[in-house]
Amino acid sequence: MQVLKFGGSSVANATNISRVLDIVTKAARKDRVALVCSAISGCTDTLLGLAKTEAGSAERQVMLQGLKARHDDIIRRLFTGKERDEVSAKIAGLFDKLAAAPEDEMVTFGELFSTTIIADKLRCEGIRTKWLDSRILVIKDNETLTYNNISTAVALEPKVEVFVAPGFIASEYDGKVTTLGRGGSDFSAALYAAALKASRLEIWTDVPGIMTANPKLVEAARTIPEMSYQAALDMATHGAKVLYAPTVKPAMEAGIAIHILNTFEPENPGTVVAALPEPKVAGWVGVTSTDDTLQGESLICLVGSGHINGEASCVRTEEALKQAGIKTLSCSSDGTNVYASVRLAVAREALNAIHREYFEIAPRSVLEVYIAGKGAVGSALVSLIEESAGRIAERTGKVLRVAGFSNKHDFAQKVCKTAPRGSIFVDVTDSETIYKEYEGLLREGINIVSSNRRALAVPFVEYAAMHAAAQENGVFLRYETTVGSALPVLESIAAGANTGDELISIEAVVSCTLNRILSEYTLTPCTFAQIVRKAQDEGLTEADPRIDLSGREALRKLLILAREAGVPLEAEDVEIEPVIGAEYAGLSLEEFYAKLEADEPRFAALESAADAQHRRQRFVASLVKDPAGPHGYKASIRVENVDASHPAYRIKGTENAIIIRSTYHPYPLLIQGAGEGARLAASSVLNDILK
Ligand code: ASP
Ligand code: MG
């Protein structure tokens, strides 16, 4: 069984009722339906007005005629022939009863009119339909009896496809007809659902679900896809009209999810109210308000989920109101929600201010990205941006647009001339010369993200000039990827430097290639030359593996690391003990490999010497505090035999390890993890773009 409830605007006229019938007949094809309806829109108000008029007065007569005319019009449009006459007669009979009814019962007729018409129409469509009298079945404040009545009534009719029941109306325990309160049809539906152990409860209304604010007051309000029973109860209790607060309890107790849907947009998934696990991180659900016209105040409730920091949330709320020029009269929190009161006259503005603060992401900024370098990282970056654009926009409010992707030599210059300020130039080349364009780009207000370590390992004056240009022009120059790929190495070093934490040492095992070669050499019976060749075949080395073996790659990384720590290191300050000496330099690649093979006994001897001490060979770039060294540090790059207590002892393959010691930190900071791969590098570049 499924329970579908339609509100007053969903049944306001023949056109809308036809939509309802469509939705109901579709649902009935899947499972039996209990259909609960409100009176046609405005009807309940009219009936309440009617009850206040003098019996037999002309005023009452006019009101009755007006209301009857609206129903007759619906009948005329929905029915023809004999069926039209029948339903007209039923409605006329009900109007006679209304005219004669005690004034306090008049309000109960609206739902009788609407459901009588709808039940007859369903019958005409050939659907086995049964009208249920909620005045007999629903006993106010007695759920046990109500559930019994409803389930028994339905059990007696196994062949019926759609039960139609008026919402809102009920009777007292003593049989007197009554109502469940304004908006009570939602509650009726929940009672029917609980009584029938329904698989689904759908509340069809004229807005797309429960929204972050009343869309009539806050234009930017949006649908909340799912929320807990408690949050729905809080929203409803504190002013959200879309759901009548008492509805939540029966549904919650029966464990039935409440789907709030829009009759005028039936494909919209709307809101699901269900038992949700308590969120680990507190969040915000929506903002509602109730007006206290007597006090001239509006009570705003910012509904949260999970345990919020009440005090901080009050401060944030008051600040947001203050910025909108609104004085907060009072503000408090119960640990989940925030309550603020403001003058009635500024209620709408206050709702908008709070909504803006908590629910509207910062204005979406479009970031134009120009990517130089069509290698593996560049291609990975382009696909990564394509795949994650939606998520990025959702999480950060930033819209990324790849405005250029090129390998051409003059690309940077072109970008410099044509790209709008605030764009991002991405250097994923390995060009030695492209850095010459950096300063010009930065001076044009173009940000730079680079994974090209050659561009940063330039003489310090050049490096400093780029940074100065970035600072002066309010743009960024980021290059986290240049050392340890996606590992947060530079960020960690900068964090220490920014806060005056003095660097004692950095030990960096950051040459993927050498680390891979050395760690594999330990483990396999291959010769050193064979392992180098294998690494080259896999594309792990530079085009000429001697660049890796000479320590030049490691040197660039060490320069970048040191400078990030505030040490203006230059290449000539670094002592390098390369894995292979200068004697390899002038050879062709084949001669080089031949010589490497011939030198195998030397490599083997080094390896067994380390092994004898239970140590492992690691290629370490280090910067160690030393008052005698240039800039107060000694910088070196060499193979070290590290023992088992060293963090680099265990790392293998293309893993990287960076060990940072500083005065504030009693234990070294160890950053370790994958340091290789185009996709990884692309993700790191993307993070620099988004930082
Ligand atoms: N017709 C009733 C009202 O207007 C009940 C409802 O629509 O939920 O309050
Ligand atoms: Mg309602």
Side-chain angles (χ1 to χ4, degrees), residues 390-674:
R391 185 178 43 239
I392 290 169
E394 209 169 88
R395 291 178 61 102
T396 67
K398 289 175 184 159
V399 176
L400 293 188
R401 204 174 75 82
V402 178
F405 182 32
S406 172
N407 244 353
K408 298 226 174 73
H409 269 310
D410 57 351
F411 182 59
Q413 284 158 19
K414 268 211 184 120
V415 171
C416 195
K417 281 198 205 98
T418 57
R421 295 186 85 81
S423 310
I424 299 172
F425 179 78
V426 177
D427 177 6
V428 284
T429 70
D430 54 11
S431 159
E432 298 258 9
T433 52
I434 196 168
Y435 81 92
K436 292 186 181 140
E437 310 298 333
Y438 277 20
E439 216 185 305
L441 287 160
L442 296 163
R443 295 213 178 278
E444 284 304 313
I446 296 163
N447 303 285
I448 298 178
V449 171
S450 180
S451 70
N452 175 10
R453 61 185 74 90
R454 287 175 168 81
L456 277 306
V458 290
F460 185 77
V461 275
E462 309 262 17
Y463 170 95
M466 292 180 209
H467 276 276
Q471 253 173 34
E472 282 161 27
N473 293 282
V475 287
F476 56 76
L477 167 61
R478 297 176 184 150
Y479 42 86
E480 181 63 84
T481 319
T482 55
V483 185
S485 190
L487 297 176
V489 180
L490 299 179
E491 197 179 294
S492 306
I493 292 175
N498 290 345
T499 50
D501 187 9
E502 200 196 351
L503 185 75
I504 296 171
S505 70
I506 300 175
E507 286 174 89
V509 182
V510 284
S511 174
C512 293
T513 321
L514 272 165
N515 195 46
R516 161 68 179 275
I517 291 168
L518 290 173
S519 63
E520 201 165 316
Y521 191 47
T522 315
L523 298 173
T524 67
C526 299
T527 66
F528 195 76
Q530 284 166 334
I531 287 169
V532 173
R533 198 188 280 275
K534 190 166 152 248
Q536 182 178 16
D537 291 346
E538 286 171 23
L540 263 177
T541 65
E542 300 286 319
D544 185 338
R546 276 169 287 192
I547 296 177
D548 299 288
L549 295 173
S550 69
R552 242 180 293 162
E553 270 299 285
L555 171 62
R556 294 188 182 111
K557 292 176 184 171
L558 186 61
L559 290 179
I560 297 170
L561 284 169
R563 290 168 181 183
E564 204 65 20
V567 180
L569 201 68
E570 297 282 11
E572 49 277 20
D573 299 331
V574 184
E575 267 176 41
I576 307 180
E577 277 175 35
V579 176
I580 52 164
E583 66 274 20
Y584 287 83
L587 310 174
S588 75
L589 209 55
E590 274 324 298
E591 289 166 341
F592 156 72
Y593 272 117
K595 183 162 172 50
L596 211 55
E597 196 64 76
D599 276 348
E600 177 60 17
R602 186 168 70 84
F603 294 115
L606 290 171
E607 177 61 26
S608 33
D611 205 46
Q613 295 172 287
H614 304 290
R615 286 169 183 251
R616 287 179 182 166
Q617 298 192 82
R618 291 290 179 260
F619 198 59
V620 186
S622 62
L623 184 75
V624 182
K625 203 165 175 274
D626 176 359
H631 324 289
Y633 286 88
K634 182 172 155 45
S636 60
I637 294 173
R638 66 165 64 87
V639 174
E640 287 180 21
N641 292 342
V642 300
D643 66 24
S645 69
H646 196 282
Y649 182 86
R650 277 159 294 137
I651 67 168
K652 319 194 256 296
T654 55
E655 225 177 327
N656 281 188
I658 297 94
I659 303 121
I660 304 165
R661 290 186 172 78
S662 64
T663 32
Y664 288 176
H665 293 89
Y667 302 106
L669 170 64
L670 168 64
I671 303 167
Q672 181 191 332

Side-chain angles (χ1 to χ4, degrees), residues 318 321-330 340-343 346 350:
E318 286 181 58
L321 288 171
K322 195 168 142 203
Q323 272 179 15
I326 296 166
K327 184 173 151 56
T328 309
L329 302 175
S330 71
S341 63
V342 297
R343 279 190 310 114
V346 292

Side-chain angles (χ1 to χ4, degrees), residues 95-142:
F95 267 92
D96 290 344
K97 283 195 181 142
L98 167 62
E103 273 149 9
D104 63 344
E105 285 181 19
M106 287 182 164
V107 71
T108 64
F109 279 77
E111 273 71 9
L112 298 178
F113 302 145
S114 63
T115 53
T116 301
I117 296 171
I118 289 166
D120 271 18
K121 180 65 189 174
L122 283 165
R123 236 172 255 129
C124 291
E125 305 273 302
I127 293 169
R128 287 189 295 275
T129 305
K130 166 93 187 160
W131 186 82
L132 297 176
D133 193 344
S134 302
R135 291 170 301 185
I136 295 169
L137 302 179
V138 180
I139 312 301
K140 197 170 179 171
D141 300 326
N142 194 329

Side-chain angles (χ1 to χ4, degrees), residues 284-301:
W284 300 107
V285 179
V287 58
T288 60
S289 65
T290 37
D291 292 348
D292 182 342
T293 35
L294 233 61
Q295 296 287 321
E297 287 179 14
S298 179
L299 200 83
I300 296 176
C301 176

Side-chain angles (χ1 to χ4, degrees), residues 181-245:
R182 291 309 304 270
S185 296
D186 294 345
F187 184 33
S188 308
L191 292 173
Y192 275 94
L196 299 173
K197 301 193 168 54
S199 58
R200 227 176 132 83
L201 168 58
E202 297 179 355
I203 306 276
W204 290 84
T205 176
D206 56 2
V207 288
I210 304 182
M211 302 179 78
T212 49
N214 181 346
K216 289 184 188 117
L217 301 175
V218 179
E219 217 186 303
R222 51 172 206 279
T223 300
I224 306 159
E226 58 167 21
M227 65 201 299
S228 68
Y229 290 114
Q230 185 58 48
L233 185 60
D234 287 347
M235 296 275 298
T237 311
H238 297 104
K241 297 255 165 32
V242 51
L243 188 68
Y244 185 47

Side-chain angles (χ1 to χ4, degrees), residues 5-8 37-40 42-45 107 111 167-168 181-187 244:
K5 180 262 168 180
F6 290 85
C37 295
S38 293
I40 67 172
C43 180
T44 305
D45 286 331
V107 71
E111 273 71 9
F168 184 49
R182 291 309 304 270
S185 296
D186 294 345
F187 184 33
Y244 185 47

